[in-house]
Amino acid sequence: MPPTEPTAVSPAEPASTTPAAPASTTPAVPVPTAPAVSVPTTPAVSVPTTPPAFTGDARPYGGGDPYADYRAADFPFSHCVDLADRRLGAAVIAANDEFFADRENLLIPTPAVFDPEHFGHKGKVMDGWETRRRRGTSACTPHPAADDHDWALIRLGAPGIVRGIVVDTAHFRGNYPRSVSVQATSVPGSPPPEDLLADDVEWTTLVPRTPVGGHAANGFTVSAGQRFTHLRLNQHPDGGIARLRVHGDVVPDPAWLAALGTFDLAALENGGRVEDASDRFYSPATNTIRPGRSRQMDDGWETRRRRDHGNDWIRYRLVERAEIRAMEIDTACLKGNSAGWAAVSVRDTATDTGEWTGILSRTRLQPDTNHRFLLDAPVTAREVRIDIYPDGGISRLRLFGSLTPEAAARLAARHRELDG
């Protein structure tokens, strides 16, 4: 029985109504009084009972926009982190065949491109992973056997719980696989392919063998509540897949975080996440907690131009309850469109009031600059919000500190439970 396909969810994008304040040319580092913070609520979402499923060939390419007849849907898990993002360290470490197109294309973060006139010495050059056509054993049995299939091994960039998978066959119209299946395992360290393919490795089926459609984003919800480190993508019997997305929740290794002591509490790879944002017009707010510095403008968070007197904001949830001691607000590659000012506030949900408290008053930001702030004393928090004035963007937010003892114990207990 194929898993239930996902349904559309539209994120809320409320606007803050905090009034603008006079400009200040002196950076404020000490812990100030709390700024006015308007925290949005998430509206109820209606979920259709019969989500779409894509099967069969797409129409042959007839010219013009190759995505004009692309079949896709908004998936309820798409707000989760892509655990197979190359920018988090994911990789396709092996495949049994990649005759027409390289396996590494599966994890390119941008949509697949199509050039109808691009041919190489092996045939049509496709932006994806494509294997040769399978054949039977003789003239009497020319077709592949029922169990014949091609496979690729994927190391997740951030181990975690898988909530949903997208097998994207964009531009593979008559050469996509008939069906796909996905398995997962949890193996510590950095095992080579031969270790993962050993008979003693236990694999959990996340997506059973399920028909898919060509030139379509084929989405599957996943209910396995375990922490996984590697995936095996199977296509039956052969063909091409453009992209693979593995959406889920990061579950960091508590032993590693304990050894680090002080680390970035909001970073994606450490289990931080974006809870909400006022605006996602040009780029997602999640970019602000990706690894490394931004390399170009769209690798950060940029909002549309405001024509009112409000401001934009992002709300984060830290990996666990922690003490923040320092932070960075980076505007790398944002030159004429960086935020003018920023303020940061925190909330400790373990307290009775759970109110927001300011830790950085409204402070002038410079374009294309990494701003560093030391707090006068550690501040305990579970959630963090950055407000920018009036609009624009930042490329990264880093919040350095360490877990409270109780939070470290909870994280370790959850890790043991999810590892089975």
Side-chain angles (χ1 to χ4, degrees):
M1 177 78 70
T4 303
E5 295 235 346
T7 52
V9 172
S10 298
E13 292 193 354
S16 168
T17 56
T18 307
S24 172
T25 57
T26 303
V29 176
V31 179
T33 57
V37 175
S38 173
V39 180
T41 57
T42 302
V45 176
S46 176
V47 179
T49 57
T50 309
F54 308 115
T55 56
D57 292 348
R59 294 191 300 273
Y61 176 65
D65 178 10
Y67 275 105
D69 59 340
Y70 177 66
R71 295 174 288 180
D74 292 327
F75 304 121
F77 48 76
S78 60
H79 66 283
C80 296
V81 178
D82 182 5
L83 304 176
D85 193 329
R86 282 194 57 84
R87 293 167 291 186
L88 290 176
V92 185
I93 60 175
N96 72 307
D97 187 291
E98 47 185 331
F99 185 85
F100 286 115
D102 297 339
R103 64 180 191 259
E104 288 86 359
N105 292 335
L106 281 171
L107 305 187
I108 293 175
T110 54
V113 298
F114 180 72
D115 181 352
E117 298 181 359
H118 191 188
F119 286 83
H121 64 279
K122 290 183 179 180
K124 181 73 185 71
V125 176
M126 296 294 291
D127 183 10
W129 168 50
E130 185 179 6
T131 66
R132 71 194 79 198
R133 301 188 186 213
R134 282 183 171 269
R135 298 291 185 243
T137 57
S138 67
C140 297
T141 56
H143 302 99
D147 292 335
D148 285 351
H149 67 277
D150 294 318
W151 53 264
L153 291 178
I154 295 93
R155 181 189 68 237
L156 297 180
I161 303 172
V162 179
R163 303 296 185 187
I165 293 174
V166 178
V167 179
D168 190 346
T169 57
H171 316 304
F172 289 94
R173 298 169 178 268
N175 51 347
Y176 61 94
R178 183 176 182 181
S179 58
V180 299
S181 61
V182 183
Q183 302 160 291
T185 190
S186 182
V187 180
S190 304
E194 55 267 25
D195 288 359
L196 293 169
L197 297 172
D199 294 337
D200 60 346
V201 174
E202 182 178 347
W203 291 88
T204 299
T205 298
L206 302 186
V207 179
R209 185 168 175 176
T210 307
V212 294
H215 195 44
N218 301 275
F220 308 93
T221 55
V222 175
S223 59
Q226 295 175 250
R227 177 183 184 267
F228 296 111
T229 61
H230 294 78
L231 263 60
R232 175 170 169 149
L233 171 64
N234 306 300
Q235 53 174 335
H236 309 263
D238 53 38
I241 297 171
R243 297 288 189 266
L244 176 70
R245 304 293 185 237
V246 183
H247 297 279
D249 303 330
V250 177
V251 180
D253 183 351
W256 177 254
L257 297 183
L260 293 177
T262 296
F263 58 91
D264 184 356
L265 302 161
L268 277 179
E269 66 265 37
N270 293 334
R273 68 176 185 264
V274 168
E275 295 246 284
D276 206 351
S278 62
D279 188 287
R280 303 173 178 86
F281 190 84
Y282 285 113
S283 47
T286 301
N287 282 352
T288 61
I289 52 175
R290 292 193 182 279
R293 295 197 72 200
S294 175
R295 296 187 177 184
Q296 59 187 36
M297 190 172 67
D298 65 350
D299 190 21
W301 173 58
E302 183 189 358
T303 71
R304 73 194 82 191
R305 300 187 188 213
R306 278 189 169 268
R307 302 307 186 198
D308 57 21
H309 292 285
N311 73 283
D312 290 314
W313 49 265
I314 306 174
R315 181 159 53 90
Y316 304 88
R317 189 166 181 83
L318 306 181
V319 56
E320 249 292 355
R321 189 167 181 252
E323 292 185 342
I324 303 171
R325 290 190 287 272
M327 60 183 151
E328 292 180 346
I329 302 175
D330 196 350
T331 59
C333 303
L334 296 166
K335 298 180 179 180
N337 49 358
S338 66
W341 294 263
V344 179
S345 52
V346 300
R347 182 164 65 177
D348 184 7
T349 51
T351 63
D352 292 335
T353 60
E355 295 181 351
W356 291 91
T357 302
I359 62 172
L360 181 70
S361 61
R362 199 176 301 188
T363 301
R364 179 73 182 183
L365 299 182
Q366 298 301 317
D368 198 25
T369 302
N370 190 23
H371 310 77
R372 291 180 171 176
F373 305 96
L374 293 173
L375 303 185
D376 285 349
V379 177
T380 303
R382 188 68 169 90
E383 293 180 282
V384 174
R385 169 169 166 149
I386 184 168
D387 285 80
I388 64 169
Y389 302 89
D391 54 26
I394 62 172
S395 60
R396 296 292 188 270
L397 175 68
R398 306 293 187 211
L399 300 164
F400 298 103
S402 54
L403 302 177
T404 65
E406 297 81 6
R410 285 194 298 269
L411 204 63
R414 181 168 182 258
H415 188 273
R416 288 192 297 270
E417 178 185 356
L418 295 175
D419 260 4

